[in-house]
Amino acid sequence: MAPQELVAPQPAESEVIIETRGLSRVYPGVNALDNVNYRVYRNKVNVLIGENGAGKSTMMKMLAGVETPSSGQIILDGEAVSLHSTHQAEKLGISIIFQELNLFPNMNVMDNIFMANEFFQKGRINEKYQYALAKSLLERLELDVDPYTPLGELGIGHQQLVEIARALSKDTRVLIMDEPTSALSQSEVKVLFKVIAQLKRRGVTIIYISHRLEELMEIGDNITIFRDGRFISERHVSDASVPWIIEQMVGDKKKHFDYQPAPKGNAVLDVKGLTALHPSGGYKLNDVTFTLSKGEVIGIYGLLGAGRTELFKGLVGLMPCQRGEVHLNGESIGKSRFQQRLKKGLALVPEDRQGEGVVQMMSIQANMTLSDFSLQGFRRAWRWLNPQKEETCVKTMIQQLAIKVSDANLPITSLSGGNQQKVVLGKALMTQPQVVFLDEPTRGIDVGAKTDVYHLIGKMAQQGLAVMFSSSELDEVMALADRILVMADGRITADLPRHAVTREQLIAASTPQD
């Protein structure tokens, strides 16, 4: 084993609030953490970064009491502690905001904020006090939502802010944020950074995980890098650079992406005047018109609530549209349902990976073949599965997508976020689609996994598939798309070719007009 690099100077004991010594976590067939010595500095933003599968989330789960170590120690304020539950960790002042939302869509915002942390008065929940506190927390996050609003009515970005409000409602000394901005708009990210600065001034220590390197450099004080379940290096952010971070993250597995345009064919998808009304008034989609050709990659850029997700759901039949025409290879599919459109060759990789992309109690293999099973691709005869064919196809897809897994029969939850995303991509490709819609396909995954997704998109286009993807990252859209559609208020506000686009154009076109 290579010696661990430690670039930062040895700190005084009082500077460190949490320390792990020789911490390891072993799952069946996977060594998620290997003898890790890790330090969290008091009253600082402690940035933790690494590729998906590097062990970041596993480490955070152990610090938050979700998982227990296989070996090693966790030291809190100089004393060894055993954390066997989140409740126990919270009593010691450690709270976590998980990467995947841990909320209840059928309950209102207020009840989600105070779930398992209610305020009682004379044996009953003090609803009036909770409402006022919830209102205050939401205003602090600049979220204009009534606490009685059902959570399921909010978009993913606003639900993420509710998750943050929930963590802020507790008496927290150490706050762990695992990809807190993955679903937030730029304005919401700025608000979150203000809140982090306020928390620091109040003496709260932050552990911050993100794959957005610019964010880390902006708000971080110290940076720690994990790779393959091991501690790699540590530095003050002022002494680090983006090239150094990437080099430490990928080691000798350096990856890059060179865009290679695919030859374009005939129009595959023709959309005219697609319109979807919002139940409370206004438009989800407003007169959307475009064409998509064989071998073409179209990127969709827009702010949160611009209508990107609604467009994809309307095209695959998961959301009703009141007006408009959709033609696939010249054939109208405007009246067909989701299952029919899936059979005709439309496939969607959803933005909400956990809520809509995977079934958590099922295996990797079962998740990957779920859509194709519904199309009877693995049926030997009526009602009978062909397990040999299913297993062979899954193994092939795992190799093609470079999914890091020892056994396809393991639970989908045993995989890192990036590898789960590849399984969702594999599920879409199993249906042998003609058009693939990717809604924020790189949300919450690391630099290496992003590059894998980029290569996959390029490969799909080279093979003649038509691809549309949405992204909140300007550089990603500009690097990958042949053509960029900008959306705002449910409308397409710009249609720009790759070679003639500028950042300023995209930002201007994405700003809603009064």
Side-chain angles (χ1 to χ4, degrees):
M1 183 188 304
Q4 296 182 341
E5 178 193 352
L6 187 60
V7 180
Q10 292 292 335
E13 198 67 31
S14 61
E15 293 179 15
V16 176
I17 187 168
I18 295 178
E19 181 180 5
T20 70
R21 297 174 183 170
L23 206 66
S24 296
R25 185 66 171 96
V26 179
Y27 299 101
V30 180
N31 195 2
L33 280 180
D34 184 8
N35 193 35
V36 173
N37 299 325
Y38 169 58
R39 294 195 298 246
V40 178
Y41 295 90
R42 192 184 307 274
N43 197 23
K44 302 289 184 184
V45 176
N46 298 267
V47 167
L48 180 60
I49 191 169
E51 291 190 89
N52 282 96
K56 309 180 302 295
S57 292
T58 301
M59 171 63 79
M60 295 307 105
K61 286 177 181 178
M62 288 193 287
L63 295 183
V66 178
E67 301 274 3
T68 55
S70 300
S71 60
Q73 287 184 309
I74 298 174
I75 311 297
L76 176 63
D77 275 333
E79 295 185 7
V81 293
S82 296
L83 303 174
H84 299 291
S85 69
T86 54
H87 183 67
Q88 185 182 8
E90 286 171 358
K91 286 180 68 175
L92 294 173
I94 303 173
S95 297
I96 185 169
I97 299 169
F98 290 101
Q99 177 180 352
E100 306 297 348
L101 297 179
N102 191 27
L103 300 169
F104 302 89
N106 58 323
M107 300 177 68
N108 66 39
V109 169
M110 182 181 73
D111 289 342
N112 270 280
I113 290 175
F114 298 108
M115 175 60 63
N117 193 39
E118 294 86 355
F119 290 87
F120 288 89
Q121 185 179 42
K122 297 180 179 180
R124 300 180 63 182
I125 293 176
N126 189 337
E127 190 168 322
K128 184 176 179 180
Y129 176 77
Q130 286 191 173
Y131 181 90
L133 182 54
K135 190 74 174 173
S136 174
L137 290 168
L138 295 172
E139 287 174 354
R140 189 171 162 192
L141 293 169
E142 298 184 17
L143 181 56
D144 186 18
V145 171
D146 187 273
Y148 285 135
T149 302
L151 186 83
E153 293 184 4
L154 305 183
I156 293 292
H158 288 166
Q159 288 187 31
Q160 182 77 302
L161 292 175
V162 172
E163 183 86 82
I164 294 168
R166 180 179 178 181
L168 297 180
S169 70
K170 301 167 185 174
D171 186 15
T172 300
R173 299 165 57 206
V174 178
L175 179 59
I176 301 168
M177 295 183 168
D178 192 353
E179 291 286 350
T181 64
S182 59
L184 302 186
S185 67
Q186 292 180 350
S187 60
E188 289 168 335
V189 170
K190 290 180 181 178
V191 173
L192 177 61
F193 287 178
K194 286 184 195 174
V195 172
I196 289 174
Q198 293 171 5
L199 291 172
K200 278 181 60 179
R201 288 195 293 270
R202 288 170 45 195
V204 176
T205 299
I206 308 291
I207 303 176
Y208 191 96
I209 300 175
S210 177
H211 295 302
R212 298 180 178 179
L213 301 184
E214 293 78 8
E215 281 184 11
L216 307 183
M217 302 299 288
E218 179 179 349
I219 66 164
D221 295 307
N222 297 292
I223 185 166
T224 303
I225 299 171
F226 282 8
R227 185 172 73 235
D228 296 330
R230 297 176 180 174
F231 170 93
I232 296 300
S233 55
E234 173 188 309
R235 275 189 181 178
H236 298 301
V237 168
S238 57
D239 297 327
S241 66
V242 169
W244 176 82
I245 293 171
I246 294 174
E247 179 183 356
Q248 297 296 305
M249 284 175 59
V250 301
D252 58 2
K253 304 179 293 183
K254 293 181 182 179
K255 302 177 181 179
H256 66 282
F257 176 73
D258 294 321
Y259 177 80
Q260 298 293 334
K264 307 300 178 291
N266 297 328
V268 176
L269 190 69
D270 187 13
V271 180
K272 293 181 180 177
L274 197 66
T275 300
L277 303 177
H278 198 285
S280 60
Y283 295 95
K284 291 183 178 179
L285 297 174
N286 187 357
D287 195 28
V288 173
T289 299
F290 68 92
T291 59
L292 174 64
S293 299
K294 183 177 180 180
E296 185 177 26
V297 178
I298 288 183
I300 303 181
Y301 179 73
L303 303 177
L304 189 69
R308 298 170 301 170
T309 296
E310 289 78 6
L311 175 58
F312 286 158
K313 288 188 174 182
L315 289 172
V316 299
L318 289 174
M319 185 188 77
C321 295
Q322 285 71 39
R323 295 193 298 273
E325 299 177 9
V326 180
H327 288 81
L328 180 65
N329 293 320
E331 177 189 352
S332 175
I333 60 169
K335 303 295 183 182
S336 58
R337 297 186 179 183
F338 170 72
Q339 194 71 9
Q340 294 170 306
R341 298 190 191 196
L342 189 64
K343 290 181 180 180
K344 289 179 181 294
L346 300 185
L348 171 66
V349 174
E351 176 187 20
D352 184 1
R353 180 170 61 239
Q354 291 297 320
E356 300 176 348
V358 302
V359 181
Q360 296 189 26
M361 71 281 293
M362 294 174 67
S363 68
I364 296 162
Q365 176 167 306
N367 268 282
M368 191 175 287
T369 60
L370 195 59
S371 289
D372 202 46
F373 170 69
S374 67
L375 300 180
Q376 304 183 27
F378 296 117
R379 295 191 185 186
R380 186 163 48 198
W382 186 71
R383 288 190 178 179
W384 297 99
L385 281 174
N386 187 333
Q388 291 80 18
K389 181 180 179 182
E390 181 182 13
E391 184 176 343
T392 300
C393 290
V394 169
K395 284 183 178 179
T396 301
M397 189 62 71
I398 286 174
Q399 291 173 352
Q400 290 178 353
L401 301 183
I403 300 173
K404 297 178 182 178
V405 59
S406 58
D407 185 350
N409 292 308
L410 288 171
I412 186 73
T413 51
S414 67
L415 298 181
S416 66
N419 284 305
Q420 287 188 33
Q421 182 72 332
K422 290 180 183 180
V423 171
V424 180
L425 284 165
K427 181 176 69 172
L429 294 177
M430 282 282 192
T431 65
Q432 299 181 337
Q434 298 183 62
V435 182
V436 180
F437 303 110
L438 308 169
D439 195 359
E440 292 281 4
T442 63
R443 182 173 75 87
I445 64 177
D446 64 72
V447 173
K450 280 184 179 182
T451 307
D452 288 341
V453 172
Y454 298 160
H455 279 292
L456 178 61
I457 291 174
K459 186 177 179 181
M460 288 190 293
Q462 291 288 344
Q463 292 173 347
L465 274 68
V467 181
M468 288 188 73
F469 75 97
S470 71
S471 177
S472 302
E473 299 185 29
L474 279 170
D475 293 336
E476 185 169 271
V477 175
M478 295 175 69
L480 194 58
D482 298 309
R483 223 167 89 225
I484 301 171
L485 303 180
V486 185
M487 294 192 70
D489 290 333
R491 297 180 296 110
I492 292 178
T493 56
D495 184 342
L496 303 166
R498 164 190 166 84
H499 61 83
V501 71
T502 66
R503 296 173 65 90
E504 291 75 18
Q505 284 177 309
L506 294 181
I507 292 171
S510 67
T511 304
Q513 302 296 317
D514 294 332

